[in-house]
């Protein structure tokens, strides 16, 4: 009888310990569904992650990349890349009736800085629209509509794609005009998303769908093949400048 009593007490203690490991709601003592609890945080994270990405399109006479790199709480941060400028921004966002509203400010220490006011649909996030107001009140407001588009380095686009694929032979450049040599050289940069300061170069590439402004510093991006081809092209550019179109025909 005594042994039976010990066994029953042991079973009771074990059961009590097992039940005590279940979390309880502080308000009513009910058990909390830990599995459901665990899915809440990832869902919130995924929601914010959907805001991240680059949006590309016309911005006045130029092409802009509006890149959101961080979204936490109600804050966003990123960069705007346009007309040879790469400017950081920080802002806030809200969600109402299925629409995100973002107000993002550039630092203000550059003559071309301003404030972006943007909206995007929360159910698709495929694009953004809005306007940009320069800090200089005399400058006009720019309206824009941008589509989500990711920069991709491609070696098969633009003029003379082989310049990014393999070493060029001398005979491939010695008959090119000055303008063609300049285009071949700058197309190498454009494939890496280089945002040109020169207006004529921007106009040359910004009409191309494959071109996405992504950086104003090309260092560290060029391949060894491209570096060697650039040296070759520059040598012939120099001669073309000195002798004009009569050279290399």
């Amino acid at each position: 009888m005594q042994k039976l009593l010990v066994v029953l007490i042991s079973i009771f203690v074990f059961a009590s310990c097992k039940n005590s490991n279940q979390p309880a709601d502080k308000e009513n003592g009910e058990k909390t569904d830990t599995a459901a609890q665990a899915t809440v945080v990832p869902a919130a994270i995924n929601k914010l992650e959907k805001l991240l990405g680059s949006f590309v399109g016309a911005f006045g006479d130029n092409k802009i990349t509006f890149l959101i790199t961080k979204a936490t709480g109600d804050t966003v941060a990123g960069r705007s890349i346009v007309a040879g400028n790469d400017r950081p921004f920080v802002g806030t966002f809200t969600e109402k009736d299925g629409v995100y509203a973002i107000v993002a400010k550039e630092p203000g220490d550059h003559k071309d800085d301003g404030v972006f006011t943007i909206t995007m649909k929360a159910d698709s996030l495929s694009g953004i629209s809005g306007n940009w107001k320069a800090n200089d009140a005399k400058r006009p407001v720019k309206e824009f509509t941008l589509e989500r588009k990711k920069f991709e380095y491609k070696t098969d686009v633009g003029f003379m794609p082989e310049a990014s694929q393999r070493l060029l032979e001398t005979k491939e450049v010695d008959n090119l005009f000055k303008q063609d040599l300049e285009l071949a050289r700058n197309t190498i940069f454009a494939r890496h998303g280089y945002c040109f300061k020169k207006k004529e170069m921007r106009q040359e590439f910004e009409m191309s769908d494959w071109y996405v402004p992504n950086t104003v510093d090309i260092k560290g991006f060029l391949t060894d093949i491209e570096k060697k081809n650039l040296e070759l092209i520059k040598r012939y550019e120099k001669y073309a400048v000195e002798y004009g179109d009569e050279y290399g025909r």
Side-chain angles (χ1 to χ4, degrees), residues 38-52:
T39 60
V40 173
V41 175
I45 292 174
N46 290 337
K47 187 176 182 180
L48 293 179
E49 284 181 346
K50 289 180 180 179
L51 287 171
L52 306 181

Side-chain angles (χ1 to χ4, degrees), residues 112-207:
D112 292 324
D113 281 357
V115 179
F116 292 92
T117 302
I118 292 168
T119 59
M120 69 171 77
K121 293 182 179 179
D123 60 351
S124 65
L125 302 179
S126 60
I128 62 177
S129 60
N131 63 63
W132 175 83
K133 293 182 180 180
N135 293 337
D136 180 357
K138 295 179 181 179
R139 297 178 62 177
V141 176
K142 290 185 178 181
E143 306 284 341
F144 57 83
T145 298
L146 312 178
E147 64 173 322
R148 184 183 288 273
K149 190 171 186 179
K150 184 179 179 181
F151 166 76
E152 293 182 78
Y153 168 62
K154 298 179 179 179
T155 61
D156 59 349
V157 294
F159 178 68
M160 194 177 278
E162 54 270 28
S164 290
Q165 298 170 349
R166 58 170 174 77
L167 293 177
L168 297 175
E169 297 181 30
T170 301
K171 64 181 180 181
E172 294 179 277
V173 296
D174 63 3
N175 285 321
L176 293 179
F177 293 115
K178 172 188 172 183
Q179 293 85 348
D180 292 332
L181 291 165
E182 183 180 24
L183 179 58
R185 174 171 55 82
N186 283 291
T187 302
I188 293 175
F189 299 146
R191 292 188 188 105
H192 289 281
Y194 181 68
C195 188
F196 297 88
K197 284 190 176 293
K198 291 184 178 180
K199 185 176 180 179
E200 59 269 25
M201 282 295 103
R202 294 202 302 271
Q203 292 175 336
E204 181 68 44
F205 296 107
E206 289 184 347
M207 294 300 292

Side-chain angles (χ1 to χ4, degrees), residues 64-95:
I64 190 174
T65 295
F66 186 83
L67 179 61
I68 303 176
T69 58
K70 185 178 180 180
T72 56
D74 63 350
T75 302
V76 295
R79 300 151 50 212
S80 64
I81 307 168
V82 59
N85 296 318
D86 185 338
R87 304 298 296 157
F89 65 75
V90 177
T92 59
F93 74 91
T94 57
E95 181 184 1

Side-chain angles (χ1 to χ4, degrees), residues 87 106-111 113 135:
R87 304 298 296 157
E106 294 168 315
D109 56 357
H110 189 280
K111 65 181 181 64
D113 281 357
N135 293 337

Side-chain angles (χ1 to χ4, degrees), residues 56 63 149 190 193-196 205-206 208-213:
V56 183
K63 198 172 192 177
K149 190 171 186 179
Y194 181 68
C195 188
F196 297 88
F205 296 107
E206 289 184 347
S208 300
D209 184 64
W210 59 266
Y211 174 71
V212 175

